[in-house]
Amino acid sequence: AEFCCEMPKIELHAHINGSISETTMKKLLKKKNREGDKLSFQKDQIATLDDCFHMFKLIHQVSDDTEAAYTITYDVIHEFAAENVKYLELRSTPREVKATGMTKLGYVEAVIKAIQDCNDLDIIVKFILAVDRRNGVDVAKETVELAAKYKTLSNGIVIGVDLSGDPTVGDARDYIPVFEQAKQAGLKLALHLAEVPNIEETLAMLKLPPNRIGHGTCLLPDVGGSDELKDYVYTHKIPLELCLTSNVIGQTVPNFDNHHFSNWYKRNHPCVICTDDKGVFNTTLSEEYQIAAKTFNLSVDKIWQLSFGSIDHIFAEEDIKEQLRLKFLQFRPL
Ligand code: 5GP
């Protein structure tokens, strides 16, 4: 347990609002004079993916102005830094709230400002703008344009785009031209794929191809995927962002033992352990590594290698990868 916490780590799949801690939630509720709200205590009741999405809606009620967006981002970065995450890619959906005057632009700028204000910490932070598949292609286009613009303006803090939101809503294929456009703008693609079984949609999206896959829960043939999906991901070596607790609580995976991590890991496929929504699922990246170690019987060195290997799949350039590798090598167990 101690090793997983002290080991330098990489977090590549963390939704800002889902990562909000209990402490930050209470702080924001107090500020908004809504201390009586039970918001933060409903977490125990999450049992399905639907419940998770209900929880995000509740969090968004608190995270409704640029000040809150700044605070949440700033606190989340500090929390990851405190458990020795050395490189962090945060993702978030640009949101506007008319009642408070928050615009999407204002939202993105608040997140970037929080990232910049954390530069005294020993952690490199990048920002992925999220496309919510519930919001339609026009909004997605707008998000990609924002990402392209801020990639330059933020001096490379904005680094890519994601596809997320309720996987049972809409058709991801509608967004293919938008993601093509993102690629052309030099943005990386981290797409939630096959969270629920959907062979045709997943196959079409894989052909983009994404730089990384979020979850990929239903790629394998025995859980609603197919050999074609499995082989495509495997031969193209598309890295998987795997979130153990999130999948088990959201019930897209029955239990840790049956998590698809083991199958891909055994094939030597690039796997990155991530938290997804550490606030909503009440976890930390260190705990996720511990769960992997315990469930799949991984030695301390194997755990270190998993963390070290994640560096290959970050969206930042080679110089940052080299810098991280040197740092991580110093921590290699004997
Ligand atoms: P935000 O984008 O507001 O910072 O974080 C919350 C949002 O992230 C949710 O509304 C949802 O769109 C997305 N999200 C968080 N966790 C998951 C997940 O496990 N699956 C999918 N598909 N989307 C998620």
Side-chain angles (χ1 to χ4, degrees), residues 33-258:
N33 288 319
R34 290 178 50 180
E35 284 163 286
D37 288 22
K38 289 227 165 64
L39 232 54
S40 42
F41 305 106
Q42 299 178 352
K43 281 197 294 204
D44 333 4
Q45 291 159 23
I46 295 175
T48 63
L49 208 56
D50 271 353
D51 294 346
C52 303
F53 283 102
H54 180 66
M55 190 69 200
F56 298 135
K57 260 195 213 148
L58 296 178
I59 296 172
H60 283 160
Q61 288 175 19
V62 180
S63 159
D64 65 350
D65 57 25
T66 51
E67 213 181 315
Y70 177 92
T71 302
I72 296 170
T73 309
Y74 186 88
D75 288 359
V76 164
I77 296 171
H78 276 74
E79 287 148 10
F80 276 118
E83 58 158 336
N84 294 308
V85 171
K86 300 298 179 193
Y87 176 92
L88 166 66
E89 287 177 13
L90 289 174
R91 60 184 74 193
S92 197
T93 327
R95 215 157 16 93
E96 71 175 4
V97 179
K98 292 224 169 73
T100 65
M102 179 166 81
T103 61
K104 290 184 182 179
L105 213 99
Y107 182 82
V108 170
E109 286 185 353
V111 170
I112 293 173
K113 176 83 169 48
I115 292 174
Q116 287 167 335
D117 289 351
C118 288
N119 67 5
D120 56 325
L121 300 177
D122 183 17
I123 182 169
I124 298 167
V125 186
K126 300 287 180 188
F127 183 23
I128 295 170
L129 265 57
V131 168
D132 188 324
R133 55 186 289 158
R134 291 168 291 195
N135 294 344
V137 177
D138 290 344
V139 172
K141 205 159 179 267
E142 194 190 336
T143 306
V144 167
E145 278 158 13
L146 260 183
K149 177 176 159 194
Y150 277 97
K151 179 174 177 273
T152 316
L153 283 180
S154 70
N155 230 336
I157 289 178
V158 173
I159 204 158
V161 288
D162 126 306
L163 172 69
S164 51
D166 191 338
T168 62
V169 177
D171 189 328
R173 284 170 284 195
D174 297 344
Y175 298 88
I176 289 177
V178 179
F179 286 121
E180 292 283 6
Q181 187 190 337
K183 255 174 38 179
Q184 268 161 25
L187 294 160
K188 306 276 191 193
L189 307 182
L191 311 183
H192 284 66
L193 288 184
E195 272 181 287
V196 294
N198 198 336
I199 296 176
E200 297 309 319
E201 179 191 273
T202 308
L203 194 60
M205 300 311 283
L206 283 178
K207 294 198 167 151
L208 269 162
N211 298 90
R212 292 195 312 252
I213 295 170
H215 303 299
T217 322
C218 305
L219 291 168
L220 300 169
D222 59 333
V223 286
S226 69
D227 281 318
E228 194 178 6
L229 289 182
K230 178 190 75 183
D231 293 341
Y232 197 94
V233 172
Y234 185 59
T235 50
H236 290 79
K237 292 193 165 46
I238 309 176
L240 295 170
E241 303 156 353
L242 300 174
C243 315
L244 297 158
T245 298
S246 160
N247 294 159
V248 171
I249 294 186
Q251 285 186 16
T252 52
V253 166
N255 51 46
F256 291 130
D257 289 326
N258 288 300

Side-chain angles (χ1 to χ4, degrees), residues 23-40:
T23 314
T24 305
M25 184 66 115
K26 284 195 180 133
K27 188 163 72 180
L28 290 176
L29 285 172
K30 192 168 176 194
K31 213 171 192 175
K32 292 178 189 293
N33 288 319
R34 290 178 50 180
E35 284 163 286
D37 288 22
K38 289 227 165 64
L39 232 54
S40 42

